[in-house]
Amino acid sequence: MTPGVALGAPSELELFRRAWRRRRARRSTLVALLSTLLFAIVAYLVVTSAPGWPRVRTTFFSPTVAWNSLPEIGAGLWLNLQVLLVGGFLVMVVGLLAALTRSLRGPAFAPLRIVATAYVDLFRGIPLIIVLYLVGFGFPALGLQGMPTSPFVLGTVAIVLVYGAYVAEVFRAGIESVHPSQRAAARSLGLNHRQTMRIVVLPQALRTVTPALLNDFVALQKDVGLISVLGAVDAVRSAQILVGQSFNFTPYVVAGLLFVLLAIPSARLADAVSARARRRQQSGNLL
Amino acid sequence: MSAPVLDVRGVVKTFGDNVVLRGVDLAVGEHQVVALIGGSGSGKSTLLRCASLLEAVDDGQVLLDGEDITDPRIDADRVRRRMGVVFQAYNLFPHLSVLDNVTLAPTVVHGRSKADAREEAQALLARIGLADKADEFPDRLSGGQQQRVAIVRALAVPPRVLLLDEITSALDPELVGEVLAVVREVAAQGMTIVMATHEMGFARQVADTVAFLDGGVLLESGPPAQVLGDPVEARTRQFLARVIDAGRL
Ligand SMILES: Nc1ncnc2c1ncn2[C@@H]1O[C@H](COP(=O)(O)OP(=O)(O)O)[C@@H](O)[C@H]1O
Ligand SMILES: [Mg+2]
């Protein structure tokens, strides 16, 4: 409100409009509640009255099996979390390095540029599972001295190789999205290529790509479960072992739900950050 | 005239088949203000970008204080430090505060201490009446305020020559005056300035020389009264007639 302009009480007309809007809002809430309740009841009745439902419930949703499997699957999930944190950090480093290498100018850097481009093209194209097999089983098969054999380490390496290539492309798109006039302004102040990158281009690029990076992080949260194919006893592998013992599939459901719980906060964060970025861009265009 | 600060000699610039500058000569003496006028697409921006080494010339030379800066063996980053450039679209860094925009070159490029640079920047901002905006981000400022900050940013390390490319063209008419006032003050203090502009009235008052660029050729140049009041070339007269029709003289 502009200071100095005193507003009196709202007019009759405005009071009527507000009351009407309040009434309509109350009615909408009521309708939404009722229809949701109705839908839930119908869905429940349809599912539970289906002929195979008791079998489905004991095979996939047995509360006792779920409860008993929790400690082992939880311990396995801790391994996934470690891969996620260590891998996530290394993915950022590798991605940024590859993107910056591709942006280098000058003939002396040609070999580096070619290597970085080849790396990105290669690892963006290969299915993650093949990289996992190649690194996880292939590297130890070389029998080289000092080669790590832990599925945790090798799985993390494979994941970092593949996700580093994705993230390199995200960073590169971000660097290219910074308008050339920003670079011209920096260069005209006497900043060299590196200073321009570090102080002017990268901070703006990072801001633009944060939503995309968070989305890749959500995808990474699921894919860390793939280290189980190397024999690492993570959440997926623990569930598999339990299923093999009990012939009940509930542990898979438990592991799946735990991954979902893990992903929800980052997914919401990604949404919020994209929405904020969009708002800022739109308000920026107005100026 | 003493030895020119900026000396453009026979500069040619092409973009593909498009010959934008066809051998332009322009000498700018110390403390001189040169107004570069000409229609849209006549090559004003290109000439300024070649002079500030943002574009490489295809022929000819640019000399800064007698040194050939188009020599490929020269360190272009070092040369750019001796020039200030202000663009039509301000080009402030949106992720840095006003103060950080101004202190960036002094600290990063010239190795001044942060405290010194801040103090000087504050003094400069105070002179253009924006001391209270030091901690704001550029998008919170009006176009005129942003452009004044951009001028101060270019002046933070006193350059040998200031290149201004239509710095009022993106502004609402009522904001043009505040930006031109800053340029007038900078000129009065003896800065050497080359400015591409459509503000003929301002050019007439402040410029020592008006140079008319047409189709990549510098058709005529001289004192404002002569070039703007009694031009020799027919093309200059046509251009000025169009400008007068548009109400800008
Ligand atoms: N980076 C570029 N690439 C291709 N053509 C360009 C580029 N910059 C300018 N031009 C062309 O050069 C000509 C002169 O442009 P410019 O110097 O911007 O003129 P002015 O500033 O006088 O309006 C125009 O025809 C424009 O299309
Ligand atoms: Mg222009």
Side-chain angles (χ1 to χ4, degrees):
Chain A
M1 205 183 297
T2 330
V5 178
L7 280 178
S11 65
E12 286 284 315
L13 180 66
E14 175 59 19
L15 286 176
F16 165 76
R17 283 196 299 239
R18 286 182 195 174
W20 193 83
R21 281 193 208 109
R22 255 198 313 277
R23 263 201 317 278
R24 198 181 49 179
R26 259 202 307 273
R27 200 166 45 219
S28 310
T29 317
L30 201 67
V31 170
L33 271 177
L34 280 179
S35 66
T36 310
L37 197 67
L38 193 69
F39 179 81
I41 291 171
V42 169
Y44 176 80
L45 289 178
V46 168
V47 169
T48 53
S49 65
W53 170 243
R55 284 260 305 284
V56 170
R57 196 178 58 188
T58 47
T59 318
F60 290 102
F61 304 106
S62 155
T64 34
V65 176
W67 181 249
N68 292 334
S69 67
L70 256 184
E72 274 168 66
I73 295 180
L77 194 67
W78 172 234
L79 188 70
N80 292 120
L81 261 177
Q82 285 171 294
V83 177
L84 179 65
L85 295 180
V86 175
F89 174 74
L90 292 177
V91 163
M92 293 285 285
V93 173
V94 169
L96 191 57
L97 281 180
L100 285 177
T101 309
R102 291 187 78 176
S103 79
L104 288 176
R105 307 262 175 274
F109 298 117
L112 283 179
R113 266 199 312 270
I114 292 170
V115 168
T117 310
Y119 159 68
V120 170
D121 283 349
L122 196 62
F123 283 93
R124 251 186 348 152
I126 307 187
L128 173 56
I129 193 93
I130 293 183
V131 181
L132 273 165
Y133 285 145
L134 282 175
V135 174
F137 298 131
F139 281 17
L142 292 173
L144 292 176
Q145 227 178 9
M147 175 65 71
T149 52
S150 125
F152 167 77
V153 174
L154 293 171
T156 306
V157 168
I159 286 174
V160 168
L161 281 174
V162 169
Y163 270 83
Y166 295 150
V167 168
E169 279 306 275
V170 171
F171 275 128
R172 200 167 73 107
I175 289 171
E176 277 167 11
S177 77
V178 177
H179 198 270
S181 63
Q182 285 286 308
R183 233 170 290 216
R187 297 311 288 270
S188 76
L189 286 173
L191 274 68
N192 60 29
H193 174 78
R194 270 175 56 177
Q195 291 165 331
T196 302
M197 245 340 178
R198 182 167 56 83
I199 303 170
V200 174
V201 176
L202 273 185
Q204 296 186 57
L206 210 59
R207 231 190 231 186
T208 337
V209 302
T210 305
L213 284 179
L214 280 169
N215 279 326
D216 276 351
F217 187 70
V218 174
L220 178 65
Q221 280 180 334
K222 297 182 291 187
D223 281 351
V224 291
L226 285 173
I227 58 164
S228 59
V229 302
L230 301 181
V233 187
D234 72 333
V236 179
R237 184 93 181 111
S238 310
Q240 197 179 19
I241 294 169
L242 291 169
V243 168
Q245 289 165 353
S246 64
F247 299 105
N248 186 294
F249 288 90
T250 305
Y252 280 146
V253 174
V254 171
L257 284 177
L258 286 179
F259 274 105
V260 171
L261 283 181
L262 195 64
I264 285 175
S266 1
R268 283 290 85 78
L269 183 65
D271 287 350
V273 169
S274 326
R276 217 185 57 179
R278 217 169 24 246
R279 268 203 308 279
R280 191 168 41 216
Q281 215 164 33
Q282 280 159 1
S283 77
N285 286 345
L286 286 179
L287 275 170
Chain B
M1 193 169 83
S2 56
V5 174
L6 186 72
D7 194 358
V8 174
R9 294 185 182 169
V11 161
V12 173
K13 180 68 190 175
T14 58
F15 290 109
D17 296 336
N18 186 4
V19 186
V20 177
L21 299 178
R22 304 170 181 269
V24 174
D25 295 296
L26 181 70
V28 186
E30 181 115 48
H31 310 309
Q32 269 218 319
V33 177
V34 174
L36 208 52
I37 62 170
S40 171
S42 58
K44 304 181 296 293
S45 297
T46 306
L47 181 59
L48 293 177
R49 290 177 67 86
C50 285
S52 53
L53 300 188
L54 292 171
E55 297 280 0
V57 300
D58 290 313
D59 206 347
Q61 282 181 311
V62 181
L63 280 70
L64 183 64
D65 285 322
E67 181 188 19
D68 179 6
I69 61 172
T70 43
D71 186 328
R73 287 165 297 188
I74 213 154
D75 181 350
D77 292 326
R78 295 189 139 274
V79 172
R80 292 197 197 92
R81 293 174 196 175
R82 285 148 55 199
M83 300 197 244
V85 186
V86 182
F87 305 88
Q88 182 175 341
Y90 338 134
N91 299 3
L92 292 178
F93 305 128
H95 61 299
L96 299 179
S97 71
V98 164
L99 192 66
D100 288 342
N101 264 279
V102 179
T103 57
L104 183 62
T107 53
V108 172
V109 180
H110 296 264
R112 295 256 193 81
S113 82
K114 252 211 150 77
D116 285 356
R118 285 179 159 258
E119 205 171 304
E120 277 174 43
Q122 286 285 11
L124 281 169
L125 287 172
R127 282 230 323 257
I128 57 165
L130 292 178
D132 56 327
K133 302 288 185 193
D135 296 321
E136 293 277 12
F137 283 87
D139 62 359
R140 303 290 304 270
L141 270 53
S142 74
Q145 291 171 332
Q146 289 190 53
Q147 195 59 294
R148 279 143 69 196
V149 172
I151 296 172
V152 163
R153 178 175 73 174
L155 291 173
V157 186
R160 287 292 291 149
V161 56
L162 187 62
L163 307 175
L164 310 176
D165 189 2
E166 291 194 33
I167 60 169
T168 55
S169 297
L171 296 176
D172 289 338
E174 87 259 29
L175 302 177
V176 169
E178 65 187 52
V179 173
L180 292 182
V182 173
V183 177
R184 193 189 301 266
E185 194 195 322
V186 172
Q189 283 167 1
M191 178 58 68
T192 308
I193 298 176
V194 183
M195 57 185 304
T197 187
H198 285 299
E199 301 294 333
M200 300 304 161
F202 184 76
R204 191 191 284 272
Q205 291 168 18
V206 177
D208 302 296
T209 304
V210 173
F212 174 62
L213 201 59
D214 184 60
V217 178
L218 232 159
L219 266 192
E220 69 178 300
S221 75
Q226 187 249 303
V227 176
L228 297 177
D230 184 22
V232 179
E233 298 288 336
R235 300 276 306 166
T236 317
R237 270 197 296 273
Q238 283 168 18
F239 171 72
L240 290 173
R242 281 205 308 276
V243 172
I244 291 168
D245 280 348
R248 302 195 72 145
L249 194 69

